């Protein structure tokens, strides 16, 4: 397509096809970024009332026609300072053709606006009549708003042939068109280029100014609404302060809550709102420092009004950032929470009273039930054992059924007592050094009878070399018994309940035990609630309706108090597997409080063994606990440690102490132990044998490695002593 047909002036005709926008313009435009332009914002930026005066002034000054267009090249409003030739032609043909509104052409119109917006440059074109105009893009960041077109002027003297063609096409007198064209002064290409640059700078500057004015208006409106919101907040105090805590602004809510007028509080330190005790303890200063460091600080406490009346206030301090710069101060929101606190206190007192009553009721009912149940159990077993004569088969069947129900009632009473202990935070665990293999075997032995009655196979899949655990053996028995009895209860005849163990993947500090059954299984909708209090799921078996639904809840509480967790994996019709974890016994962790760098500087650790041999009979459990208390009084808590019981051997009870001392220190501890035990046992029935082994500590770069080596050696000595039951050499 040739230049004349397209309305575009090529370089061969001594007119540049496009003049690029200067770099200074584009740099400042990019500073704005690329804001999101809503239809409303576009309309405000291209407001004709705002652009009209500046476009009219430009047109008169430069003696060119000028108009504002949208991003599709459509003229917005009127054309300012329209030129004679263009007016004559368009007056004769009032119906405008599609395309550029400044072109006079019979062929395809130019696309100067589209090209200017696509290339972000000023585009200069000449139409078939010889009239020239420029298209200047209007950009906000990288967003295209529209364009300014200016021109309708000749850049050289008009050509007769071109004007004749235009006159014929548009129905205008050729002579009249020529006369008008001759009088229209040409504008040189250099002047057009300069006017394009000027128009670009002018449009860009006014657009930025317009955008800034719109933002300022919106900000002012937002600030006004925010101020109204702040002043309208009647139930809370909203104010600001500087970095030193001096109040810098004050709202009406603050005046109503605290009693200070704005004139008397601004400039004062906000600590005047705190009690004398808080000021003495530097509470305001600490809260301000926390807010400046963390960005936010919140607390509750007694606050003081201007008349020295106190109220319970909730205070939220938030640091105020000034853009990307430093903190410029803090904003405070303070609310009167006195009523809420009073309600919370009343509710807590009510809860505690309800708990006390519940504890008292459950404890009373449980104890009152245990006495007759124990008597019924005793007399029923005596009759079944034949102590009162022989029974016929029918009598034995009825008594056996009665005994089973008595056992169930005893179990329910025990669960009620445990729930009482949970509610009153009296459910405690006393961890010891426990052999899980032996413990599991004992529990399985007690559950065999119940499994045999249900014709359920009870099997163990426990490795004989499991690590010792740090747990309360009585509580672990309770957990295992609950889970095994549950498995037996929900497993049909000829089914299997299996107790197994496995290491916890990625954690050598825990041991995982599992109890699997081949029963009815648990649906996914019940797995999340199975450990809740009083949870009982619907089942086709009669067993689902027995018990109170407290066993799993108590088991979960006991596992949690050991620091472990419990969960279930199950599928309907394919049985269930309950897992729980227990901490593995670690002598290194147990001794960590005394194996500190200062205690190990002496270079030696002594293992002391105290073997107690009673003269007549075995040492009773209550006496053992008393002996432990005596030994604990003989050591220094920060330097020495009494190890937990490491064996159930009879009749000798052995106590082990680890002391961060050498042989001389051992002699002092040994004399102290002998003296205290003699005082404890006035009748001299106990014959303690005290022996020791002192370990020399080799220097090591790693303190952890040093502690591990010491504890490994101590464990070896303990096991050797338990096997030999001979004094340590």
């Amino acid at each position: 397509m040739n230049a004349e047909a397209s309305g575009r002036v090529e370089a061969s005709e001594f007119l540049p096809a496009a003049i690029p926008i200067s770099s200074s313009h584009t740099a400042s435009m990019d500073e704005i970024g690329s804001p999101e332009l809503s239809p409303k914002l576009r309309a405000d930026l291209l407001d004709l009332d705002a652009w009209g005066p500046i476009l009219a002034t430009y047109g008169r000054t430069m003696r060119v026609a000028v108009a504002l267009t949208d991003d599709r090249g459509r003229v917005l409003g009127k054309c300012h300072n329209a030129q004679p030739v263009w007016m004559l032609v368009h007056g004769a043909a009032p119906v405008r053709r599609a395309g550029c509104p400044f072109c006079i052409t019979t062929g395809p119109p130019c696309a100067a606006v589209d090209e200017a917006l696509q290339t972000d440059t000023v585009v200069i074109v000449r139409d078939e009549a010889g009239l020239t105009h420029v298209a200047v893009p209007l950009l906000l960041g990288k967003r295209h708003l529209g364009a300014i077109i200016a021109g309708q002027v000749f850049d050289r003297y008009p050509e007769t042939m071109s004007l004749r063609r235009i006159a014929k096409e548009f129905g205008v007198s050729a002579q009249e068109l020529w006369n008008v064209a001759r009088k229209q002064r040409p504008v040189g290409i250099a002047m057009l280029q300069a006017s394009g640059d000027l128009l670009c700078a002018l449009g860009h500057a006014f657009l930025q100014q317009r955008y800034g004015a719109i933002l300022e208006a919106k900000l002012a409106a937002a600030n006004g609404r925010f101020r109204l919101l702040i002043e309208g907040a009647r139930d809370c105090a909203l104010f600001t302060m500087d970095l030193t805590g001096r109040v810098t602004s004050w709202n009406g809510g603050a005046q109503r809550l605290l009693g200070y007028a704005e004139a008397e509080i601004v400039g004062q330190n906000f600590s005047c709102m705190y009690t004398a005790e808080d000021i003495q303890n530097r509470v305001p200063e600490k809260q301000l420092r926390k807010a400046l460091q963390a960005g936010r600080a919140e607390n509750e406490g007694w606050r003081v009004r201007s008349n020295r009346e106190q109220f319970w206030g909730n205070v939220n301090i938030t640091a105020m950032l000034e853009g990307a710069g430093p903190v410029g101060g803090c904003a405070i929101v303070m609310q009167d929470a006195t009523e809420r606190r009073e309600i919370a206190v009343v509710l807590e007192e009510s809860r505690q009273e309800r708990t006390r009553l519940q504890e008292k009721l459950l404890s009373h009912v449980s104890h009152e039930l245990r006495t007759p149940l124990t008597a019924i159990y005793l007399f029923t077993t005596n009759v079944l054992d034949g102590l009162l004569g022989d029974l016929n088969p029918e009598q034995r069947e009825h008594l056996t059924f009665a005994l089973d129900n008595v056992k169930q009632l005893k179990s329910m009473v025990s669960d009620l007592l445990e729930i009482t202990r949970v509610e009153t935070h009296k459910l405690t665990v006393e961890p010891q050094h426990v052999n899980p293999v032996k413990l599991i075997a004992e529990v399985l032995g007690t559950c065999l009878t119940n499994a045999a009655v249900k014709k359920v196979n009870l099997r163990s899949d426990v490795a004989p070399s499991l690590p010792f655990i740090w747990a309360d053996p009585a509580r672990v028995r309770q957990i295992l018994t609950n889970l095994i009895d549950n498995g037996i209860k929900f497993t049909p005849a000829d089914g299997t309940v299996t107790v197994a163990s496995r290491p916890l993947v990625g954690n050598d500090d825990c041991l995982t035990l599992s109890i699997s059954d081949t029963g009815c299984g648990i649906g996914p909708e019940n797995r999340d609630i199975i450990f809740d209090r009083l949870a009982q799921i619907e089942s086709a078996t009669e067993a689902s309706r027995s018990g109170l639904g407290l066993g799993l809840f108590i088991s979960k509480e006991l596992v949690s108090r050991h620091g472990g967790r419990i969960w279930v994996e199950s599928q309907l019709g394919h049985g269930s597997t309950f897992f729980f974890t227990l901490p593995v016994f670690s002598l290194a962790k147990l001794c960590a409080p005394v194996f500190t760098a200062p205690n190990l500087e002496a270079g030696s650790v002594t293992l002391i063994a105290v073997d107690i041999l009673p003269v007549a009979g075995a040492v009773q459990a209550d006496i053992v606990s008393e002996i432990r208390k005596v030994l604990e009084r003989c050591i220094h808590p920060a330097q020495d440690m009494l190890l937990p019981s490491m064996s159930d051997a009879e009749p000798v009870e052995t106590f082990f102490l680890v002391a961060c001392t050498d042989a001389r220190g051992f002699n002092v501890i040994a004399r102290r132990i002998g003296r205290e035990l003699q005082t404890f046992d006035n009748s001299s029935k106990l014959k303690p044998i005290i022996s020791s082994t002192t370990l020399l500590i080799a220097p090591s770069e790693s303190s952890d490695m040093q502690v591990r080596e010491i504890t490994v050696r101590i464990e070896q000595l303990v096991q050797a002593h338990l096997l030999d039951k001979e004094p340590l050499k």
Side-chain angles (χ1 to χ4, degrees):
M1 183 181 295
N2 58 39
E4 189 175 49
S6 65
R8 172 76 176 269
V9 178
E10 299 292 346
S12 60
E13 298 183 79
F14 306 100
L15 184 64
I19 300 176
I21 300 175
S22 61
S23 60
S24 61
H25 297 163
T26 55
S28 58
M29 184 67 75
D30 288 341
E31 292 172 2
I32 301 175
S34 298
E36 291 296 329
L37 300 180
S38 64
K40 177 66 169 56
L41 181 56
R42 283 178 177 270
D44 288 342
L45 289 171
L46 298 179
D47 182 65
L48 296 177
D49 292 336
W51 281 91
I54 192 172
L55 293 179
T57 301
Y58 176 84
R60 288 194 306 269
T61 302
M62 301 303 297
R63 297 181 180 179
V64 295
V66 63
L68 187 66
T69 76
D70 62 13
D71 55 354
R72 297 183 181 180
R74 295 174 298 193
V75 173
L76 302 175
K78 68 176 183 176
C79 173
H80 299 274
N81 199 36
Q83 296 300 298
V85 172
W86 185 86
M87 290 181 64
L88 177 62
V89 173
H90 278 263
V95 180
R96 298 183 181 180
R97 303 190 180 191
C100 177
F102 272 30
C103 279
I104 299 176
T105 179
T106 58
C110 77
V113 173
D114 289 340
E115 186 173 348
L117 291 175
Q118 290 176 6
T119 60
D120 295 345
T121 58
V122 176
V123 175
I124 302 177
V125 295
R126 183 190 300 127
D127 61 20
E128 292 182 12
L131 296 178
T132 305
H133 66 275
V134 298
V136 177
L138 290 179
L139 306 175
L140 189 65
K142 296 181 180 179
R143 303 287 182 178
H144 296 158
L145 285 175
I148 302 175
I149 51 177
Q152 299 178 1
V153 296
F154 293 103
D155 66 308
R156 53 194 174 187
Y157 286 104
E159 297 178 358
T160 305
M161 295 302 295
S162 298
L163 293 177
R164 286 181 181 276
R165 235 181 3 256
I166 291 299
K168 182 179 180 181
E169 178 66 26
F170 286 88
V172 180
S173 168
Q175 185 61 43
E176 183 182 4
L177 183 59
W178 171 252
N179 291 336
V180 172
R182 259 186 329 129
K183 296 177 183 179
Q184 190 168 328
R185 181 184 300 176
V187 179
I189 189 61
M191 181 60 72
L192 283 172
Q193 182 172 349
S195 65
D197 288 340
L198 176 61
L199 188 58
C200 178
L202 185 65
H204 172 75
F206 186 74
L207 186 61
Q208 282 188 316
Q209 179 184 352
R210 180 71 182 153
Y211 184 56
I214 292 173
L215 292 183
E216 287 181 5
K218 290 185 176 181
L219 181 60
N223 287 340
R225 289 193 296 269
F226 182 66
R227 186 65 185 175
L228 289 174
L229 176 64
I230 290 177
E231 291 300 330
R234 304 181 60 88
D235 298 331
C236 61
L238 301 174
F239 59 95
T240 59
M241 60 187 180
D242 61 17
L243 298 179
T244 64
R246 290 195 300 268
V247 176
T248 56
S249 70
W250 196 251
N251 83 324
Q255 181 171 346
R256 285 186 291 272
L257 178 63
L258 294 162
Y260 294 99
E262 185 174 6
E264 61 180 322
I265 191 63
V266 170
Q268 300 295 321
N269 195 283
F270 84 116
S271 60
C272 65
M273 309 165 197
Y274 287 74
T275 63
E277 182 181 359
D278 283 348
I279 295 174
Q280 183 178 359
N281 294 329
R282 306 172 70 89
V283 172
E285 180 182 337
K286 292 176 182 177
Q287 290 182 10
L288 177 57
R289 186 185 305 114
K290 181 180 178 181
L292 294 175
Q293 292 175 350
R296 183 174 179 271
E298 182 179 4
N299 83 317
E300 289 191 354
W302 290 110
R303 301 293 175 259
V304 182
R305 295 187 172 95
S306 61
N307 59 3
R308 311 317 298 167
E309 177 186 351
Q310 293 189 3
F311 67 97
W312 187 262
N314 175 275
V315 181
N316 192 318
I317 306 176
T318 304
M320 297 187 299
L321 296 176
E322 295 184 350
V327 176
C330 291
I332 294 186
V333 179
M334 185 182 297
Q335 291 179 300
D336 187 348
T338 306
E339 184 177 354
R340 174 170 57 80
R341 181 176 183 271
E342 291 174 351
I343 294 174
V345 170
V346 171
L347 289 176
E348 177 61 20
E349 291 176 351
S350 175
R351 188 194 66 80
Q352 292 180 0
E353 180 64 22
R354 186 174 67 252
T355 300
R356 285 193 294 269
L357 291 175
Q358 181 182 4
E359 175 189 2
K360 184 177 180 180
L361 176 63
L362 289 177
S363 178
H364 179 74
V365 171
S366 300
H367 284 91
E368 289 298 320
L369 286 173
R370 293 182 77 176
T371 302
L373 282 175
T374 302
I376 295 172
Y377 178 82
L378 177 63
F379 290 123
T380 304
T381 53
N382 286 342
V383 174
L384 282 172
D385 291 341
L387 298 180
L388 301 178
D390 295 334
L391 300 174
N392 60 45
E394 186 176 358
Q395 291 172 332
R396 180 171 297 278
E397 180 182 355
H398 282 79
L399 284 175
T400 301
F401 180 76
L403 184 61
D404 290 341
N405 282 272
V406 169
K407 290 179 180 178
Q408 184 175 339
L409 283 174
K410 288 182 67 178
S411 176
M412 290 180 182
V413 171
S414 297
D415 286 347
L416 285 174
L417 288 173
E418 292 288 35
I419 285 294
T420 303
R421 296 188 183 102
V422 171
E423 289 287 344
T424 57
H425 306 287
K426 294 180 181 179
L427 186 65
T428 59
V429 296
E430 298 178 1
Q432 301 177 23
H433 179 261
V434 179
N435 184 347
V437 177
K438 181 179 178 182
L439 189 62
I440 293 171
E442 292 174 356
V443 174
L444 287 174
T446 60
C447 295
L448 278 175
T449 303
N450 191 17
V453 171
K454 285 288 301 289
K455 297 181 180 180
V456 172
N457 299 314
L458 192 59
R459 58 186 295 268
S460 172
D461 187 18
V462 177
S465 58
L466 288 181
F468 280 62
I469 56 175
W470 182 242
D472 186 329
R475 295 304 190 182
V476 176
R477 287 190 188 94
Q478 187 176 355
I479 298 168
L480 286 170
T481 301
N482 271 338
L483 296 179
I484 293 173
D485 283 346
N486 259 1
I488 294 173
K489 183 190 300 184
F490 291 98
T491 300
D494 298 325
T496 303
V497 174
T498 304
V499 180
S501 67
R502 69 180 186 189
L504 186 60
V505 178
N507 189 353
D508 296 333
D509 297 331
C510 290
L511 176 69
T512 303
L513 299 177
S514 65
I515 294 86
S516 305
D517 63 63
T518 56
C520 57
I522 304 170
E525 69 280 2
N526 291 317
R527 288 179 208 148
D528 294 334
I529 65 170
I530 194 68
F531 295 102
D532 292 347
R533 186 193 323 232
L534 302 176
Q536 287 186 322
I537 61 175
E538 294 295 329
S539 172
T541 65
E542 199 66 30
S544 65
R545 290 184 289 274
S546 64
L548 296 174
L550 297 173
L552 290 178
F553 172 76
I554 295 171
S555 298
K556 180 183 177 181
E557 290 292 326
L558 292 174
V559 171
S560 298
R561 279 165 169 73
H562 280 89
R565 66 186 187 95
I566 186 170
W567 70 98
V568 63
E569 295 177 3
S570 182
Q571 187 177 355
L572 281 176
H574 294 81
S576 306
T577 302
F578 287 85
F579 300 89
F580 68 97
T581 62
L582 294 171
V584 172
F585 175 77
S586 171
L587 187 59
K589 288 186 178 180
L590 191 65
C591 295
V594 298
F595 283 171
T596 61
N599 287 345
L600 297 179
E601 283 181 357
S604 58
V605 172
T606 300
L607 176 66
I608 303 171
V610 181
D611 295 308
I612 306 294
L613 290 83
V615 174
V619 179
Q620 301 298 319
D622 55 344
I623 299 179
V624 170
S625 63
E626 292 298 324
I627 294 174
R628 291 188 66 84
K629 294 178 182 178
V630 172
L631 295 178
E632 286 175 350
R633 294 197 299 267
C634 297
I635 60 177
H636 194 293
Q639 296 179 339
D640 313 318
M641 173 169 287
L642 175 63
L643 298 183
S645 177
M646 308 295 263
S647 172
D648 297 328
E650 297 288 354
V652 180
E653 180 70 30
T654 303
F655 302 87
F656 294 99
L657 300 95
V658 175
C660 295
T661 185
D662 53 14
R664 288 187 302 173
F666 158 70
N667 292 330
V668 174
I669 296 175
R671 287 195 297 270
R672 192 183 303 153
I673 291 174
R675 184 173 62 252
E676 291 292 331
L677 285 177
Q678 187 175 8
T679 303
F680 167 73
D681 178 35
N682 294 325
S683 59
S684 300
K685 292 181 180 180
L686 302 177
K687 302 296 182 181
I689 300 176
I690 306 174
S691 54
S692 70
T693 294
T694 299
L695 303 175
L696 298 179
I697 303 174
S700 175
E701 296 181 357
S702 171
S703 58
D704 293 338
M705 180 66 71
Q706 194 177 49
V707 170
R708 280 197 296 270
E709 292 176 354
I710 298 170
T711 52
V712 168
R713 183 70 180 120
I714 289 175
E715 286 179 334
Q716 293 173 347
L717 290 171
V718 167
Q719 295 303 321
H721 183 81
L722 292 176
L723 289 174
D724 297 340
K725 284 298 179 183
E726 293 180 359
L728 297 170
K729 304 298 183 182

